[in-house]
Amino acid sequence: MIERGIHAFRGQGVLLLQGPVGPFFSRLAHDLQLAGARVFKVNFNAGDRLFYRRGAFSFKGAMAEWPAWLDALLDRLDIDVILLFGDCRPIHVVAHEIAMRRGLEVGVFEEGYLRPHYMTFERHGVNGHSQVPRQPSFYLAQPEAARPRRRDLGNTYWHMAWWAFLYFSIGSLGKPWFPRYAHHRRLALTEAWPWIRSGWRKLKYRALQHGMLERLCTRWDRHFFLVPLQVFNDAQIFVHSSFDSVEAFVEEVLGSFARHAPADTALVIKHHPMSRGYTDYATLVRRLARAHGIAHRCFYVHDQHLPTLLKHARGVVVVNSTTGLQALEHHVPVKALGEAIYDMPGLCHQGPLDAFWHEAPHSGPDRVLLRRFVSFLIARSQLNGSFYKAWPKAAAKSSNPWCATDWGEWLDRSPPGPEKGLATP
């Protein structure tokens, strides 16, 4: 899908389901139509409708009604391809099953494997559902290829935060129009509170942990293991790992470290910034560290600079976070405890976690394999850009083969509606 660009959809019937918060799917629809595709969209709540206001079907039924409703819509529209964001959302899991049964293509968008400069787009599925080969021999047989020049969009956080605020606010206020919709996350105005709490905690931990980065990079240089946590409700935890919570992951890693790690090493557990307003594991980490007798060499941190931490870490332990890929690109040994696209011999440690603490210094990634693996990812699944922030107009055409007009230009007009005579089922 990526290699041929957006013109691969010429003459195809494309159905868009839920996209990332913001106008990305609206802009995508416009470019797909200019490329010659017939494009349709389904909205599931008022937040979806805010960013795709005209020409979309609205599903207002209960989850149990969704399969039959979608089947009927696919019959009427002659759809060839379904595009969606996030393949673990319940509505998308059902849609994927139906598409496979009917022999339709599925394209899945997700946050970039190589963040922060890329978006992911793959056929069939992403992360644990990805069809990216897991055999080192596949990549070692690939010819060396230079990476394409990467453009940097700069900070996209506040753009994402603004679109998320609008999406969740309107989605909550518009519940009377979609009374039976159940979002995969909490969809309510009270979601503003965790964002406020996140700001407070950011200031709190900045003060409490002043000087921590310098201490880790000097006193503990190459003598600490970094454990970057994932978002508390990340599907990668619940779907693509054996853990039922982030807390369970923390308990396993901390216990193993206490029992088997060299006595002169430390454990650094880093909170995910997008979870800051929802969870705080300080009490859990403190209790476990004391119980295992490692309170003096177990640190729980928040906003310490990740690239600097990676530069000074002896090893990194993840579930399946994309931070694992960042660590590999810093040539830091990685142990992945969940399904990760990069967890293969030659890249990640393949033995048990208990052994990793001692074997990490000899478990760094093979640089040739890593280079070819990352080049393959960029060529086959990564789009240079952001779901949340536009490219400057002058750079849009040259930055992305998916650009039918200006891929990153914000469009004021909504996409045209479905063909005349196609009523909502």
Side-chain angles (χ1 to χ4, degrees):
M1 288 182 174
I2 279 189
E3 290 176 302
R4 294 171 58 197
I6 201 167
H7 293 285
F9 295 92
R10 180 181 290 115
Q12 301 284 295
V14 180
L15 180 65
L16 306 177
L17 299 184
Q18 278 190 327
V21 294
F24 178 80
F25 260 24
S26 179
R27 293 184 290 120
L28 173 62
H30 180 268
D31 279 356
L32 285 168
Q33 288 165 335
L34 288 179
R38 297 178 295 107
V39 185
F40 308 92
K41 174 74 166 69
V42 178
N43 289 334
F44 298 86
N45 60 59
D48 292 341
R49 186 171 182 177
L50 171 68
F51 294 111
Y52 206 110
R53 294 185 296 278
R54 292 185 298 169
F57 298 95
S58 292
F59 175 68
K60 298 186 178 183
M63 187 63 190
E65 302 171 66
W66 170 232
W69 191 95
L70 178 59
D71 260 324
L73 186 66
L74 293 173
D75 286 338
R76 298 175 65 187
L77 300 183
D78 189 24
I79 294 298
D80 302 289
V81 184
I82 296 176
L83 301 182
L84 51 91
F85 177 82
D87 59 3
C88 291
R89 300 183 183 191
I91 56 174
H92 290 165
V93 171
V94 172
H96 194 284
E97 293 172 351
I98 291 174
M100 293 299 98
R101 172 168 52 81
R102 298 173 70 109
L104 305 180
E105 289 276 14
V106 176
V108 182
F109 289 95
E110 187 54 271
E111 303 291 353
Y113 291 146
L114 300 169
R115 301 179 197 177
H117 305 292
Y118 292 94
M119 307 175 288
T120 294
F121 180 65
E122 285 194 82
R123 168 180 280 163
H124 183 74
V126 296
N127 296 308
H129 293 146
S130 173
Q131 295 182 324
V132 168
R134 309 298 209 275
Q135 297 78 35
S137 58
F138 172 85
Y139 301 101
L140 293 174
Q142 301 293 314
E144 287 278 1
R147 293 192 194 182
R149 185 166 64 94
R150 186 193 71 198
R151 293 181 182 270
D152 186 354
L153 265 172
N155 192 316
T156 62
Y157 174 81
W158 292 110
H159 294 79
M160 178 194 66
W162 173 242
W163 297 136
F165 170 76
L166 291 176
Y167 183 88
F168 281 88
S169 297
I170 299 303
S172 176
L173 293 171
K175 279 186 177 180
W177 287 270
F178 296 86
R180 292 187 284 178
Y181 173 72
H183 200 54
H184 61 288
R185 294 180 179 174
R186 184 178 172 87
L187 190 65
L189 285 174
T190 53
E191 283 297 285
W193 169 241
W195 287 85
I196 295 171
R197 184 164 51 198
S198 177
W200 158 246
R201 284 179 175 167
K202 183 178 179 70
L203 295 175
K204 169 188 171 183
Y205 280 103
R206 177 184 296 174
L208 290 176
Q209 297 177 351
H210 179 72
M212 175 63 75
L213 185 62
E214 181 180 359
R215 182 183 176 193
L216 291 174
C217 296
T218 54
R219 162 67 179 85
W220 295 100
D221 183 30
R222 296 292 178 180
H223 281 72
F224 71 85
F225 290 90
L226 179 64
V227 183
L229 302 182
Q230 291 173 231
V231 178
F232 73 101
N233 56 2
D234 193 340
Q236 302 314 305
I237 299 288
F238 304 108
V239 179
H240 299 304
S241 88
S242 61
F243 299 103
D244 58 10
S245 66
V246 171
E247 289 89 341
F249 168 66
V250 170
E251 289 187 29
E252 179 167 325
V253 172
L254 195 148
S256 175
F257 175 86
R259 292 187 297 270
H260 301 283
D264 63 344
T265 59
L267 189 69
V268 179
I269 299 174
K270 185 181 184 299
H271 198 91
H272 195 291
M274 297 303 294
S275 258
R276 188 190 298 112
Y278 295 89
T279 57
D280 191 325
Y281 305 111
T283 301
L284 172 67
V285 171
R286 190 182 307 115
R287 175 175 58 81
L288 291 173
R290 286 174 177 171
H292 286 286
I294 58 169
H296 62 292
R297 57 190 184 105
C298 181
F299 308 101
Y300 173 64
V301 303
H302 274 248
D303 294 306
Q304 309 303 319
H305 189 241
L306 181 59
T308 302
L309 288 174
L310 292 175
K311 182 180 178 181
H312 294 270
R314 177 177 291 192
V316 172
V317 180
V318 297
V319 179
N320 41 31
S321 169
T322 53
T323 301
L325 262 176
Q326 295 179 51
L328 292 174
E329 291 216 273
H330 281 79
H331 306 293
V332 179
V334 172
K335 175 60 185 174
L337 299 182
E339 297 178 61
I341 60 170
Y342 50 83
D343 187 14
M344 67 182 76
L347 290 186
C348 292
H349 182 266
Q350 297 299 296
L353 176 62
D354 291 350
F356 177 68
W357 312 112
H358 284 276
E359 296 174 2
H362 311 291
S363 302
D366 179 291
R367 298 196 178 202
V368 174
L369 174 59
L370 176 63
R371 203 163 54 238
R372 296 187 183 186
F373 175 69
V374 172
S375 294
F376 180 88
L377 285 184
I378 292 174
R380 300 295 184 90
S381 70
Q382 302 298 288
L383 293 166
N384 184 198
S386 169
F387 295 119
Y388 313 108
K389 183 180 179 181
W391 283 112
K393 186 174 181 179
K397 287 187 179 180
S398 61
S399 67
N400 204 312
W402 270 54
C403 186
T405 53
D406 288 321
W407 169 260
E409 181 183 4
W410 297 121
L411 300 172
D412 295 326
R413 53 191 179 277
S414 297
E419 295 177 4
K420 185 176 180 180
L422 292 174
T424 302

